[in-house]
Amino acid sequence: EAQVTQNPRYLITVTGKKLTVTCSQNMNHEYMSWYRQDPGLGLRQIYYSMNVEVTDKGDVPEGYKVSRKEKRNFPLILESPSPNQTSLYFCASSLSNGYGYTFGSGTRLTVV
Amino acid sequence: KNEVEQSPQNLTAQEGEFITINCSYSVGISALHWLQQHPGGGIVSLFMLSSGKKKHGRLIATINIQEKHSSLHITASHPRDSAVYICAVGNTDKLIFGTGTRLQVFP
């Protein structure tokens, strides 16, 4: 089944403790992206990747890192999480930007 | 002013009613997407449009490129259509999202 798999689904962590949210797709998509969703603000792009080893900042990249060493994986790294990074996070992939998107199931992160 | 505006923000309907959700945008785009987000949080892509009209079951999406406007219609609405509907516009490297329309359909 074609899908984008995010892990974990839920995560509660403490301020400053490094964490990684994984994202993997099995559709050989070139384009992958991370978004956060906050009440009243909607979905906002954090980082995106047009292909392996090609990443770029979205609208809200501060406090986040990404890497794209393989086509299928695009992990989101929070080196030192803070409470303002409490949010619902989505990974998505697409054949290339401009084509239809497939979204992961989301990761609800709470930083205390 | 947001680059993508949706209206209405909230919508309630009786089962069977015809529903229209509107999306206006102010940027150049390569495609417009309609997404559905159920209460559990998952997001599903409904349509991708670059011109004209698309239909899938009871859902119809239209776009007017000159007016920078799109509509999502639901015919014969059903309680299972209750969800947040999100318009997103795509350009060369990103999607820009509207804040969504929360639809509740009552039996």
Side-chain angles (χ1 to χ4, degrees):
Chain A
E1 180 190 351
Q3 59 185 357
V4 175
T5 303
Q6 274 182 247
N7 281 298
R9 288 292 309 276
Y10 302 91
L11 180 59
I12 300 174
T13 190
V14 296
T15 299
K17 185 177 181 183
K18 180 179 178 179
L19 67 91
T20 299
V21 184
T22 63
C23 175
S24 181
Q25 51 94 4
N26 62 0
M27 296 165 282
N28 203 35
H29 283 172
E30 291 183 348
Y31 183 91
M32 297 185 75
S33 187
W34 276 102
Y35 306 92
R36 61 178 288 174
Q37 186 178 35
D38 301 290
L41 297 176
L43 284 148
R44 294 177 293 168
Q45 189 178 45
I46 303 170
Y47 269 95
Y48 64 95
S49 170
M50 303 286 272
N51 213 325
V52 176
E53 302 290 3
V54 180
T55 64
D56 212 341
K57 296 177 180 178
D59 295 318
V60 287
E62 295 78 20
Y64 304 95
K65 283 175 57 177
V66 293
S67 68
R68 188 94 181 270
K69 294 187 172 67
E70 308 162 278
K71 201 170 191 178
R72 63 184 291 124
N73 295 322
F74 190 45
L76 180 70
I77 303 156
L78 285 72
E79 295 270 3
S80 183
S82 63
N84 65 11
Q85 292 178 297
T86 293
S87 188
L88 179 58
Y89 291 86
F90 287 98
C91 178
S93 75
S94 173
L95 192 58
S96 69
N97 197 32
Y99 285 79
Y101 285 73
T102 302
F103 284 82
S105 301
T107 295
R108 189 168 292 280
L109 172 65
T110 302
V111 183
V112 297
Chain B
K1 188 179 187 298
N2 292 336
E3 293 169 302
V4 181
E5 299 270 4
Q6 283 186 240
S7 63
Q9 285 190 309
N10 294 284
L11 186 54
T12 57
Q14 289 294 126
E15 183 173 356
E17 285 186 9
F18 182 82
I19 304 289
T20 296
I21 300 170
N22 295 299
C23 175
S24 296
Y25 55 94
S26 58
V27 295
I29 69 169
S30 56
L32 183 142
H33 303 256
W34 281 102
L35 310 171
Q36 180 190 57
Q37 186 172 26
H38 275 287
I43 297 174
V44 174
S45 179
L46 297 175
F47 293 104
M48 185 185 72
L49 295 160
S50 54
S51 65
K53 175 179 173 178
K54 286 190 177 179
K55 184 175 189 290
H56 186 256
R58 296 180 294 106
L59 302 178
I60 303 165
T62 64
I63 188 169
N64 185 316
I65 298 292
Q66 287 72 31
E67 293 185 5
K68 295 189 173 181
H69 181 269
S70 175
S71 293
L72 176 68
H73 305 286
I74 305 174
T75 62
S77 60
H78 189 276
R80 65 175 174 266
D81 297 325
S82 298
V84 176
Y85 292 84
I86 301 169
C87 171
V89 298
N91 55 26
T92 52
D93 55 14
K94 66 194 292 185
L95 281 181
I96 306 170
F97 298 86
T99 52
T101 295
R102 183 174 301 275
L103 171 65
Q104 289 184 292
V105 182
F106 294 99

